[in-house]
Amino acid sequence: MLSNEETVDIVIVGAGVIGVATAYYLQKNNPSKKILLVDRYLAAGQANTAMSAAAVRNMFASSTNQLLTDTSIKYFEHVQNEIGYDLMFEKTGYLWLLSEEQFSHESVKLWIKRMKESNISCKVYDKKQLKELIPNLNVDFTGDDEAELMNLQEVSYGLFGADCGVLDPTRLVEYYLEGFVKISKVKPRYGVDVQTLIVEANPPLELPGEPFVWQKKHVVGVRTNKGDIRAETVVLATGAWANELLDPIGIDSLTKAKKRQIFVLHAADKAELLEVLNTKGFSEMDSIPFTILPSAGVYFRPQHQEKGFWIGCGDKFGREYKYIQTDEDLVPESAYYEDSIYPVLSKYFPAFTDARPVNSWAGGYSYAPDRIPFVYKKSGVLVVGGASGSGIMKADALARIADALYRGESEAELFGGKTMPSTALGLKNRKVEVESVII
Ligand SMILES: Cc1cc2nc3c(=O)[nH]c(=O)nc-3n(C[C@H](O)[C@H](O)[C@H](O)COP(=O)(O)OP(=O)(O)OC[C@H]3O[C@@H](n4cnc5c(N)ncnc54)[C@H](O)[C@@H]3O)c2cc1C
C-alpha cells in the first residue's frame, strides 16, 4: 500500500513496453534518482504490448521511423545474441505483396529509394520468383468474379526486407523490467490507477484557489486510487489512454486510438498450411516471412512455436478513431474474421480455406497524425507515445530519447552510436517526415 502521499524523483505511468524501457534507461543513466513505475494493470506489459503481433521491421519510408526501428531491432538482436537473453527474435523477414499498380506508384518508388539510401535491406521479387518460392500463392485472378467483386488486386511483385522479423513481446518487457528492477531503489507498483495529474502554481503563493491564470504552473505528481505521488517529473507512457490524463490539464496529445485485432490459426493438422508456414528460400530459418497482402490491409505473422499464424488487418476508412481506447476495443469480433479477413486471405492463399481461429484478441493503436511517435517534455510531464501501431519495434530508441530529453541532452544516442536530436519528436517544431508505410 502507498502511504497517503509520497515523493519520488520520477514517477512513470504505464508499464507497457515503452514505459519499462524508459524506466530502464532513466534509472541506468540517472542512478541517484528514485524512480517509481506504476500501472493500473496487475503486471507489466498486459495492455496493448501483450495484444501486439510483435513483428519488427525497419522498412519504413520516413528516415525518422527507419532510424527508430533499425537501431531498436539491432539492439534486440544484440540482447539476444550477445547478452544471451532470449527474446524469441526470429529473422523471418517482411514480405509486402504488391500489385503492378501499387509497385509503380510514386509513394512506393520513394519508399524503396529511401530504404536504399539508408542501406536498409530490401529485395524485389517478381511474380514468377514469388510463385516458385510460395507455390500456394495465388497470383492470377483472371475470370475470378469474387476477387473482382472484392476489389482484390493481383500480386505482381514482392518487396522483401531481410532484417525484419518477429519476437515475443512478453520477453522484451521482462528484459527491460528485470534490468530496471535490479538497479532501481523502488519496486514497480501495480493496481495503481492514475486518475489525474496534479497541477500546482510554480512557485506556490499559498493563496486559496491557485493556480491562477497569471501564475506559472507545472505538474507536481499524480493522484491515484492509492494516494498521491509527488514527483519532480511525471513520465506518461500510457499509450492509447494518453488523452485521458493530458486533456484535463490542457495538453493536446494529438493522438487517437483505433481498434486492432489478431486471430490465431493453427497449421499442424493441415499439410498445405504447414508448407506455407515452412516456406524455404527467404531466410535461413525456412519460414514464410511476415506477409502483407496487396488488398484490404490483411497481413499474417508466422508463429512457429504454436505451428501457426497470427492474422490481422490494418483497415483504415470505415474503422472509427477514438479519443481513448475503451473496453469494447478489447473484444475481438468473430464476424470480422469470417466476413472480412477470411475471404481475402483464402483468395491469395487457398491453403487457408476452411481455417478457423483457435484464439483471438484485440487492442488499440495510438495514432499520431504523421504516424511518427511523440517524445516531449512540457511543464513537468514527459510524454512518450503515439507509436502508431509500431511501438514494440521502436521501444528501445524511444526510451533512449526520453532519457536524453530528461537529462537535457540535445542529442540522444541510439544503439550502435547513431544519434537523433532529443527534441525531434516534439509536439511543436517536429523534425520528422510523414510516414506513409503503416499497416
Ligand atoms: C492487434 C495489435 C497488433 C500490433 N502489432 C504490432 C507489431 O506487430 N509490432 C509493433 O511494433 N507494434 C504492434 N502493435 C502496437 C504495439 O502493441 C504498441 O505500439 C505498443 O505496445 C505500445 O506500447 P505502450 O507501452 O505505449 O502501450 P501499452 O502496452 O498499452 O502500455 C500502456 C500502459 O499504460 C497503462 N495506463 C494507461 N493509463 C493509465 C493510468 N491512468 N493509470 C495507470 N496506468 C495506466 C496501461 O494499463 C498500460 O499497461 C500492435 C498493437 C495491436 C493492438
Side-chain angles (χ1 to χ4, degrees), residues 205-210 212:
L205 299 174
E206 310 299 346
L207 298 172
E210 67 178 8
F212 304 111

Side-chain angles (χ1 to χ4, degrees), residues 53 258-263 290-292 295-300 310-316 319 336-337 340-342 344 365 367 438-439:
K258 199 180 257 221
K259 181 173 181 176
R260 292 292 181 228
Q261 311 176 41
I262 300 277
F263 300 89
F290 183 99
T291 301
I292 302 101
S295 303
V298 176
Y299 66 80
F300 60 77
W310 291 0
I311 320 288
C313 180
D315 51 350
K316 295 187 172 72
R319 169 77 55 185
Y336 183 60
Y337 175 79
S340 284
I341 294 178
Y342 172 74
V344 178
Y365 281 11
Y367 276 116
I438 289 295
I439 302 170

